[in-house]
């Protein structure tokens, strides 16, 4: 069974049509957004992509992310921890 | 969800360049006029309500099909595409002549929503949701 981090990576790649990204190669600690990505690591997403992810997370995990929770988009691990917290 | 409306406009003399061709930048101004027409006349929002909603552009495009000339009225046939679940809204525009027999341009703008502090919102402003819901009903 896939762990939560893997499920999140698959969701991101599918939702944002990241055709060049291999799910298996995503570093869970790497920054999701370009602003965090000064060394060229991470997925290089932008804030508008986060809108799509908010909807995807609601659909897949039935969890609502509010404007106050923006910090959960730091990386895959922070997203996974947020989802675990909400599910528990 | 989708909402459609028409906005009638007549280009001003100052919209044209020395070749008597409407300057390309003016098309985006006309699209903006159509959006404000939608907010004021279809959603019935006051100026105060409108200024509370900050919805900057994240994408805009225009295909220029035929030359727009001075002294004619035109229609922007607009379609608003949105989903209440996502804080993003898309306008699709088609500029036609007055009887809608000739298309002059196609355009698209996409917008997100910001808080008064300039932060990206994950949910459309409630004021807008209520108005859109009323309209869709």
């Amino acid at each position: 069974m896939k762990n939560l981090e893997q499920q999140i990576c698959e969701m991101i790649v599918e939702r944002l049509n990241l055709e060049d990204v291999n799910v298996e190669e995503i570093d869970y600690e790497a920054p999701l957004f370009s602003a965090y990505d000064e060394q060229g690591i991470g997925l290089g997403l932008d804030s508008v992509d986060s809108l799509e992810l908010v909807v995807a997370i609601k659909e897949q995990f039935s969890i609502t992310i509010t404007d106050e929770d923006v910090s959960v988009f730091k990386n895959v691990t922070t997203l996974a921890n947020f989802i675990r917290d909400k599910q528990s | 969800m989708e909402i459609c409306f028409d906005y009638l406009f007549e280009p001003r003399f100052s919209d044209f360049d020395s070749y008597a061709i409407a300057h390309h930048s003016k098309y985006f101004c006309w699209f903006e006029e159509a959006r404000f027409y939608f907010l004021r006349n279809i959603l019935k929002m006051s100026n105060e309500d409108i200024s509370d909603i900050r919805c900057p552009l994240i994408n805009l495009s225009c295909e220029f099909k035929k030359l727009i000339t001075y002294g004619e009225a035109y229609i922007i046939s607009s379609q608003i595409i949105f989903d209440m679940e996502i804080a993003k809204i898309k306008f699709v525009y088609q500029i036609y002549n007055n009887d809608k027999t000739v298309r002059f341009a196609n355009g698209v703008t996409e917008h997100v929503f910001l808080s008064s502090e300039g932060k990206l919102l994950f949910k459309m402003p409630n004021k807008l949701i209520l108005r859109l819901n009323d309209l869709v009903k």
Side-chain angles (χ1 to χ4, degrees), chain B residues 73-105:
Chain B
Y74 296 87
I75 291 170
I76 301 183
S77 181
S78 308
Q79 181 187 21
I80 300 154
I81 302 167
F82 60 97
D83 178 342
M84 296 297 187
E85 294 297 318
I86 185 165
K88 203 159 72 168
I89 195 163
K90 183 177 183 178
F91 287 76
V92 178
Y93 316 87
Q94 292 170 333
I95 302 182
Y96 286 99
N97 61 342
N98 211 1
D99 57 7
K100 281 195 168 181
T101 53
V102 181
R103 191 188 301 182
F104 289 79

Side-chain angles (χ1 to χ4, degrees), chain A residues 1 9 12 22 31-32 46 50 57 59 73:
Chain A
M1 187 179 167
C9 290
I12 292 171
N22 184 347
L32 293 179
D46 59 46
S50 67
I57 288 164
E59 286 174 2
F73 288 110

